[in-house]
């Protein structure tokens, strides 16, 4: 976990193991919290966007195999909200399908009919019951969990794909809802510890 506390808003970069730990903690608390976690950690949705997507927003890609999720979200250039097609991993699509079926959710009904603040509180809140709060109190986990917020889930998704998986920036802008390079650039600036060690070992040798 990398922490940037150089400004008033602390930024956290989780690695894949930490993201998976957060996801499991959410799922242990409640199914809907696990769904929110998947949408943020695996699909890059903002907390407010998780409250608006419905089964009707799920669609097949033109290849007949992939899944996409229509998301109405923030316009990073300002102005009216914009709609994008977010990438929907197969296992997340299956999770959404099962959740809809078991909870008897109508096709035009949001999967998570909650206020955005509620979603944020599932990650961290003042009462200490959020997933990150629980992990911060766990003696076997790092105290740095106390800095994790809901937006760090999207930060993890963006950084993982841009830096670790080398997905082209333009593709990430399209599926993540960034309207300009300046909006996505901050997610490119901090290398992971893994990347640092690999690059420096190569130089050393």
């Amino acid at each position: 976990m990398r922490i940037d506390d150089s400004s008033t808003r602390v930024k956290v970069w989780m690695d894949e193991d930490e993201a998976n730990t957060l996801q499991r903690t959410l799922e242990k608390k409640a199914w809907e919290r696990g769904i929110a976690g998947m949408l943020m950690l695996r699909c890059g949705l903002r907390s407010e966007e998780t409250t608006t997507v419905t089964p009707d927003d799920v669609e097949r890609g033109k290849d007949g195999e992939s899944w996409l999720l229509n998301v109405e979200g923030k316009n990073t250039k300002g102005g009216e909200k914009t709609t994008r097609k977010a990438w929907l991993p197969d296992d997340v699509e299956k999770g959404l399908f099962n959740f809809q079926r078991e909870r008897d959710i109508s096709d035009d009904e949001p999967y998570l009919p909650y206020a955005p603040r509620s979603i944020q509180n599932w990650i961290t809140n003042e009462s200490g019951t959020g997933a990150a709060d629980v992990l911060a109190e766990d003696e076997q986990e790092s105290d740095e969990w106390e800095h994790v917020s809901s937006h760090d889930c999207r930060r993890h998704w963006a950084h993982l794909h841009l830096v670790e998986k080398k997905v082209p920036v333009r593709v990430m802008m399209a599926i993540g809802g960034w309207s300009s390079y300046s909006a996505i650039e901050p997610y490119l600036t901090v290398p992971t510890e893994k990347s640092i060690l690999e690059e420096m070992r190569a130089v050393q040798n």
Side-chain angles (χ1 to χ4, degrees), residues 3 12 20 35 37 53 65 70 78 93 104 134 162 168 174 189 202 204:
I3 307 292
V12 178
N20 290 335
I35 294 295
V53 291
E65 298 179 1
N70 291 302
E93 186 279 329
D104 195 24
V134 170
L162 285 165
T189 56
Q204 176 177 272

Side-chain angles (χ1 to χ4, degrees), residues 97-111:
F97 176 79
N98 290 335
F99 185 68
Q100 178 195 8
R101 182 181 59 189
E102 293 299 320
R103 295 295 177 90
D104 195 24
I105 298 171
S106 301
D107 287 344
D108 61 351
E109 180 184 356
Y111 292 105

Side-chain angles (χ1 to χ4, degrees), residues 23 26-27 30-39 122:
Q23 177 64 33
L26 286 163
E27 291 171 348
W31 195 359
E32 56 265 32
R33 297 192 184 200
I35 294 295
M38 287 196 299
L39 291 172
W122 291 350

Side-chain angles (χ1 to χ4, degrees), residues 11-205:
K11 299 176 182 178
V12 178
W13 283 265
M14 293 179 282
D15 62 26
E16 284 192 86
D17 288 340
E18 290 159 344
N20 290 335
T21 295
L22 182 63
Q23 177 64 33
R24 288 193 297 270
T25 305
L26 286 163
E27 291 171 348
K28 287 178 182 178
K29 190 70 175 180
W31 195 359
E32 56 265 32
R33 297 192 184 200
I35 294 295
M38 287 196 299
L39 291 172
M40 292 186 288
L41 288 164
R42 302 289 307 287
C43 303
L45 269 63
R46 301 174 177 90
S47 56
E48 62 269 23
E49 293 170 346
T50 67
T51 67
T52 63
V53 291
T54 71
D56 272 341
D57 292 321
V58 176
E59 67 175 52
R60 276 285 191 187
K62 290 185 178 179
D63 61 3
E65 298 179 1
S66 305
W67 293 99
L68 298 170
L69 183 65
N70 291 302
V71 180
E72 184 181 67
K74 176 183 177 181
N75 184 344
T76 55
K77 288 185 177 179
E80 297 294 322
K81 290 184 176 181
T82 58
T83 300
R84 70 181 187 276
K85 293 185 183 296
W87 174 256
L88 186 61
D90 292 345
D91 60 329
V92 178
E93 186 279 329
K94 183 177 180 180
L96 291 175
F97 176 79
N98 290 335
F99 185 68
Q100 178 195 8
R101 182 181 59 189
E102 293 299 320
R103 295 295 177 90
D104 195 24
I105 298 171
S106 301
D107 287 344
D108 61 351
E109 180 184 356
Y111 292 105
L112 301 172
Y114 301 94
R117 186 60 183 170
S118 295
I119 306 298
Q120 295 163 14
N121 284 339
W122 291 350
I123 304 298
T124 184
N125 58 64
E126 292 182 357
S127 62
T129 58
D133 304 319
V134 170
L135 289 167
E137 290 297 319
D138 189 332
E139 293 182 356
Q140 297 182 347
E141 294 289 340
S142 170
D143 293 340
E144 292 177 337
W145 280 107
E146 67 183 61
H147 300 296
V148 174
S149 70
S150 60
H151 190 71
D152 294 316
C153 297
R154 175 173 164 86
R155 193 187 318 283
H156 160 75
W157 173 81
H159 189 258
L160 173 68
H161 288 80
L162 285 165
V163 178
E164 292 291 304
K165 299 190 175 182
K166 311 296 184 184
V167 176
V169 173
R170 292 294 177 183
V171 172
M172 291 299 293
M173 287 175 65
I175 64 176
W178 289 282
S179 305
S180 65
Y181 180 81
S182 61
I184 197 173
E185 192 273 336
Y187 299 92
L188 285 162
T189 56
V190 179
T192 62
E193 181 177 328
K194 177 183 176 182
S195 298
I196 291 172
L197 295 177
E198 288 177 351
E199 294 295 333
M200 296 312 295
R201 274 202 304 268
V203 173
Q204 176 177 272
N205 297 331

